Each structure stands twice: as structure tokens, then as C-alpha cells.
Amino acid sequence: MTNKTSKTATCWLSVHKASDETELKMRATAVNAIIATGIESGLLDSAREDAAEGALKVVWNGKSIAEDGSSTGQWASGRTDTSYAIYQECTTPDPILGLTINGLAQVYTVTGTGKSPDSPDDSGNGSLAGLFGGLLG
């Protein structure tokens, strides 16, 4: 993830089963409705927790990425799945518009390199490295 904004971004990222994509999109819609108010709140925190519920892996939970900075998220799955639903949300402060925050939660599907955990010739770790290629800004 590369932050091309002029502010530090705070990001949430979680990996879910591909079959959870529809429900995850509804959760992202709920987060976006609260983000649209521009105010950090306990309600927003709760909506973020709901979005992460049932995740195979919470990669980032409020990770800061500095202006013009970047960060890479990785997950060694140990699963045979090759498709996953990804929840990604990043917010930044926006005092110019009189808001505490602005941002967007989104859900998308990615394909990894799932490998059998029983495979004798590898570590059994699937990888999604490099697939969290969001760009802020």
C-alpha cells in the first residue's frame, strides 16, 4: 500500500473466505456510511470490528502509513484456498472540510498461491504478498 496523500493514513486490512464477499460488502457499506459523517466514534470502531469478524487473518488494525510512505502486508495462510475476499479501509484527517476523517472501505477478491498444508515439498504457506496493492491519493 502506498500513501500518496499529504497526510498520514490509518488503514485496516483483513482477509476473508471468498464465499463471505457479499456479507463483507454489506459491512463495508455500513463503515462507509459512518465515515461519511467525518467523525471518529465508538460506532465507527464497532463497525470496523464487525467488518473484521470471521476474518481468516486481520493483517492491519489501524496501521499508520505516513505521507508518501508505503507498507506491505503479508499472510502465510497454510490454506489450500486460492481466492479470498479482502476488506481494505484507509482514512485520513480532513480539517479543511471541517471533518475529523475522510476515507473509504472497499471489498475486492484476490487470488493467492494457496498450497496444501500437507505438501512435502513446500512450507504449506499460501501467499497474498503484493496483492494488497491499494494506492491512496
Side-chain angles (χ1 to χ4, degrees), residues 28 34 38-39 47 57 60 64 67 80 82 85 102 105 107-108 114-117 129 131 137:
I34 300 167
I39 301 169
K57 173 69 176 178
W60 295 336
S64 292
E67 169 188 352
T80 58
T82 57
N102 65 11
V107 175
Y108 51 92
K115 298 176 184 176
S116 169
L131 296 178

Side-chain angles (χ1 to χ4, degrees), residues 53-115:
E53 185 177 321
L56 298 171
K57 173 69 176 178
V58 175
V59 180
W60 295 336
N61 187 6
K63 178 169 184 63
S64 292
I65 303 174
E67 169 188 352
D68 291 324
S70 63
S71 187
T72 301
Q74 295 187 16
W75 172 51
S77 73
R79 298 174 58 90
T80 58
D81 310 42
T82 57
S83 292
Y84 300 93
I86 304 297
Y87 172 87
Q88 176 183 314
E89 174 203 339
C90 290
T91 60
T92 58
D94 195 352
I96 293 172
L97 296 178
L99 304 172
T100 304
I101 58 165
N102 65 11
L104 178 67
Q106 57 187 339
V107 175
Y108 51 92
T109 302
V110 298
T111 300
T113 57
K115 298 176 184 176

Side-chain angles (χ1 to χ4, degrees), residues 2-53:
T2 300
N3 180 2
K4 292 290 187 183
T5 70
S6 61
K7 303 169 185 86
T8 295
T10 305
C11 299
W12 290 258
L13 182 67
S14 54
V15 181
H16 302 257
K17 293 183 285 187
S19 59
D20 292 342
E21 183 178 13
T22 300
E23 182 177 349
L24 195 55
K25 284 182 177 180
M26 289 188 295
R27 293 175 182 179
T29 298
V31 169
N32 283 331
I34 300 167
I35 289 174
T37 68
I39 301 169
E40 287 278 2
S41 66
L43 189 59
L44 180 55
D45 293 340
S46 180
R48 286 174 172 147
E49 288 174 15
D50 287 347
E53 185 177 321

